[in-house]
Amino acid sequence: MVAPIVVLYLMGLILGFLLAYAAKVFKVESNPIVKEVEEMLPNTHCGQCGFAGCGAAAEAIVDGKADPTCCPPGGNGLAVKLAEKLGISLQLGDDAENIPAFAIINSDLCTGCTRCSKVCPTDAIVGANKQIHGVIRKACTGCTACETACPEDCITMQPDPTTVATWTWPQPSAA
Amino acid sequence: MFSFAKIKGGIHPDENKHLSNHKPIAKALLPDHVIIPLSQHLGAPANPIVKVGDSVKTGQVIAEAGGFVSAYIHSSVSGEVKDIGEYPVPHASGLKNLCIKIKRHGDEWHYLPRLSLESSADILIERLREAGLTGMGGASFPSNIKYLAKDKIHTLIVNAAECEPYITADDMLMRERAEQIISGIKIAQKILKPKSVIIGVEDNKTEAIKILKKALAKENGDKSSGIRRVWPLANSTTFYENLQISLAVVPTKYPTGGEKQLIQVLTGVEVPSGELPSSVGFLCQNIATVAAISDAVLEGMPLVKRIVTVTGRAVNSPGNFEARLGTPLSELLDQAGADQDKVSRLIAGGPMMGQVMKTTDVPLVKGCGGILALNEQEIPQAESSPCVKCGKCVNACPMGLVPLEMARHTKYKDYDGAVDFGLTDCILCGSCAYVCPSHLPLVQYFQFAKGELKKQSDQDRRLDYTRQLSEVKRARLKKEADAKAAAKAAKAKKRKRTTNPA
C-alpha cells in the first residue's frame, strides 16, 4: 500500500521538475507582435473576419493567412495601421465597400425577444423583454451578429447616411 | 511696443470692389418666409424649442445652444412656424440639413432687456451668448466662448481688412455706422480690459478710413489735435493712436484678413502652429461682429440680420443689403437684379474662400458676408495639367507651407506626408491655386486630405469607444457567470448539508 503511494508521489515530483525545467529550456517564444496586433483590433470578437475572435484573427494576420483589410469594423483606417505595423503592402478596397454599416431594427416586425441585444458585443441594442428594441448608432460596429440572431428577420444593415456633419470633400479628379 | 512684419506670401487678385462699394446699405425687403438652419455656427447644432404652428416674434429664441460650443438661434421675422425639417443649406456638400421654416406675418419684435457699459463683464458675456452672436467673418465661432478667455487677452484686434475681392459689406458698415462700431469696441474693452485695441483696415478703403478717423477723433474729445500719426511705419502700415483705440491701415493684399495674418501684420507676433490667438494674448474679432455686439448689448437686439454684399457681373445692380437671416438667396439676388441666364456660378461668401451653391434656395446665414453671381467671363476656365514644380505656390502661401508637396502626397493618399508639409496649418485661402500656372485644384486636394484625416480620426475614436464597450460587456458577462456558478455551488453545498445533517 505504501510503496505505490511513494512511487507515484516521487514520479509526480520528478516529472513535475522535469516539466518545469523543460518549460524553461525548450521555451517557444510566442510572437509578441500577435499580442500587439490583437490590441489594435476592435476586440469585439464579432467574427466577421471568419476567425474565432480577435485573438485568432490577429494570429492569422501576422501569419499572413488573413489580409489586414479583413476587419470590417476597423475599416480602412485600421487596415492602413496594421499594414504599417507589419510592413506589408496593402490592397485597399474601394472606399464604398468600407463604409461602416449600422443595424436598423424594423419596429413593425420586432417582437422584443431580446435575442439581438444578448448577442451584441458592444451593448448597442437597447430594449427590454416584449418592448421594441432600438440601436445606438454610436456604439454599433455593424458586426451583423444581431442580424443572424433575429428570429423575425427584422434587422437590416444599412450604411450611415452622409449628412452635412459627416460629409467630406471628394478627391479632385484633375491631374 | 509693436514691431511690424509683412505677411509671408499673399496675392493681389482683381478686387472688383468697385461694383458695390459706392452703394449705401439698403434694407432688403422682408421675405415671405425664412428658413433658419439650426447649424449656422461651429460646434453642436442648436436644439429647437418651438413646435410647428407656434407663433413667434422677431428676436424670439427658437433654438437653444446644443452644447458648450454652440449658439442660440432667434427668429428673424414674426410669424408662424411652418415646418421643422430638412432644407438645402449653404454648405459645400449641397446637402440638406435641419432648419426651421417660418412664414412671416408682419414684423413684431421681441427685445432682450437693454444693458449698458456699467454691466459686469460676466453679464456682458452672457448677453453675447443669449443674443446668439457668432463671428460674422465666415468661420462663425460662437463669440461668448472667445470672450471667456478674457484674462489671457492683452490686445483686441478688430478685423476690418475685408481682403476677399468683391465683398464690400464691412466697408459700407464702417462708412455708415462708425459710432456703432466704436460703442461695440467699448463693450469688448469693458469685458476684456485689453492694454490696446487696434482696428486693422486695408488701404483700399479710403472713405471708410477717413470716417473712422473722424469718429475716433470725436471719441477722443480733442477735435483740434485729431488723431496723431504715431509713427510712419515700414511697408506703409500707418498707425493712428487714440487713447486706447488705434487705427492701423495696412497694405491691401489677400489674405491679410486671415486671423493669424492680421495679427502678424499689426504686431509682428506669429500665432504658433495649432494654437488659437488667445494663446499669445490676442482676440481677433470681425468688425461686423463688433457692431452686432453693440446692438445686442445696448439695444437688446439678438443676431437676426446682417449686411451682405450681393454682387458679380451677372447682377444688374450690385449692392449691399441689410437682410434678415434665413432670407432665401434667390430673393436677395432678385432685389439686386440678377440675370438668371447669365449666372454661371453662384457663390456664398467671397470668391476665394466662399462655397459654390447648386441652388438659390439656400438661406442667408450668420457667417455669410457675400453672395456672388458670376458670369462666364469671371470664372477661370483653364484645364489643369501636371505640376511643373515651379514653386510659385510656396511663395504665395501666407502660412509658409509647401503646397506642391502637400498636393503630391495627397494625390498618393499619403496624408501623413501631407501633414509633414503643413496640411494642418493650411487655412484653405486659395492663394496657391490662384498663382498655379498648371491650374491645379490645390485647395480641393487639401480639403479632401483634411476630410480623410477627419474620417480616420473619427473612426479611431469610434473603435476605441466600441472596444471599451465590448470589454465592459465581457466583464459583466463573466461576473454574471461567476455569480451564477457561486450560487450553484452554494446551493449544492446547502443540499448536501440538508441530506447529510451529520
Side-chain angles (χ1 to χ4, degrees), chain B residues 175-194:
Chain B
R175 292 194 209 183
E176 296 190 16
R177 300 178 190 175
E179 258 115 70
Q180 190 189 344
I181 289 165
I182 289 172
S183 64
I185 292 175
K186 280 185 177 163
I187 294 162
Q189 270 180 314
K190 163 85 194 193
I191 300 174
L192 301 169
K193 300 189 179 61

Side-chain angles (χ1 to χ4, degrees), chain B residues 35 61 99 212 359 379:
Chain B
I35 294 162
V61 178
C99 298
L212 268 188
T359 153
I379 304 172

Side-chain angles (χ1 to χ4, degrees), chain A residues 39-43 45 73 81 102 117-118 120-123 137 139-141 164 167-169 171 174-175, chain B residues 91-93 97 355 384-385 440 445 447-448 451 454-455 459-460 462-463 466-467 469-470 473-474 476:
Chain A
E39 267 161 29
M40 288 163 77
L41 290 170
N43 275 311
H45 308 289
K81 275 194 203 149
F102 298 88
S117 64
K118 274 184 196 135
C120 178
T122 55
D123 279 338
R137 279 261 166 117
C140 178
T141 58
V164 170
W167 178 86
T168 54
W169 283 75
Q171 187 171 22
Chain B
H91 187 265
S93 63
N97 208 358
Q355 301 301 342
S384 59
S385 51
L440 285 168
Y445 272 120
Q447 293 269 32
F448 166 67
K454 182 177 167 281
K455 259 199 255 176
Q459 204 170 26
D460 286 353
R462 206 190 151 84
L463 220 55
T466 48
R467 180 181 302 152
L469 284 177
S470 78
K473 170 142 188 174
R474 264 180 297 142
R476 196 189 68 220

Side-chain angles (χ1 to χ4, degrees), chain B residues 188-202:
Chain B
Q189 270 180 314
K190 163 85 194 193
I191 300 174
L192 301 169
K193 300 189 179 61
K195 291 201 186 86
S196 53
V197 180
I198 312 169
I199 309 175
V201 193
E202 280 191 347

